[in-house]
Amino acid sequence: MTSDDIGIVNDAYAGYDQNVFGIPYCYLPKHSYRGLLGQDEDLFISAHGNDDEIGNAAGQPAYTPQQLAAALNNDVLPGNYRGRIFVSACGSAPVYVNGLLTALGNAYRGRVFGMYGDIDYTIAAPGARDWVAAR
């Protein structure tokens, strides 16, 4: 969500283990990403953020927790999704992923996590202490 340039995204995440993190994609509004994520695969989102929204540093796209939940349900997550959602958004706070969990519903309890503060697009592996579970 931080760039519409796949070259920048590929360079930023070139050192990440694809066996853990898979393939990076630029998120572009009004595109469907359904079919790219398996029912049990984890989804990692990297973005700029604040307490109210996350997205591109330039301003668009930007999503409230409710808007992101709708975009994920409409364009990204497969039916009967069982994976986890990890949101790494510099400048955001737990209130954002807590709102995302509320918008997604109780079926996602224990499966939505966030990283906050000055993290500069870092994405830690699942289970790392940097991830905070939404509540």
Side-chain angles (χ1 to χ4, degrees):
M1 297 181 86
T2 59
S3 175
D4 58 3
D5 183 337
I6 190 62
I8 292 171
V9 173
N10 284 337
D11 288 347
Y13 297 102
Y16 283 77
D17 183 350
Q18 285 191 351
N19 292 318
V20 174
F21 297 102
I23 300 169
Y25 291 93
C26 292
Y27 181 81
L28 301 172
K30 299 186 175 134
H31 285 74
S32 178
Y33 295 86
R34 197 170 298 283
L36 297 177
L37 186 67
Q39 286 182 309
D40 296 307
E41 286 184 298
D42 293 331
L43 174 64
F44 296 89
I45 300 171
S46 175
H48 276 290
N50 58 48
D51 293 355
D52 302 316
E53 63 184 17
I54 66 168
N56 190 313
Q60 292 299 323
Y63 296 92
T64 66
Q66 298 77 17
Q67 290 168 329
L68 181 58
L72 292 175
N73 282 321
N74 293 334
D75 301 322
V76 179
L77 302 177
N80 300 314
Y81 181 64
R82 297 179 297 264
R84 298 172 293 182
I85 299 171
F86 295 88
V87 178
S88 174
C90 56
S92 69
V95 67
Y96 186 87
V97 294
N98 293 345
L100 179 60
L101 173 60
T102 298
L104 289 169
N106 272 338
Y108 286 84
R109 188 157 305 283
R111 299 192 295 138
V112 178
F113 302 86
M115 283 178 61
Y116 318 104
D118 188 18
I119 51 179
D120 196 28
Y121 305 113
T122 301
I123 298 179
R129 66 182 180 151
D130 296 327
W131 291 113
V132 177
R135 23 185 195 110

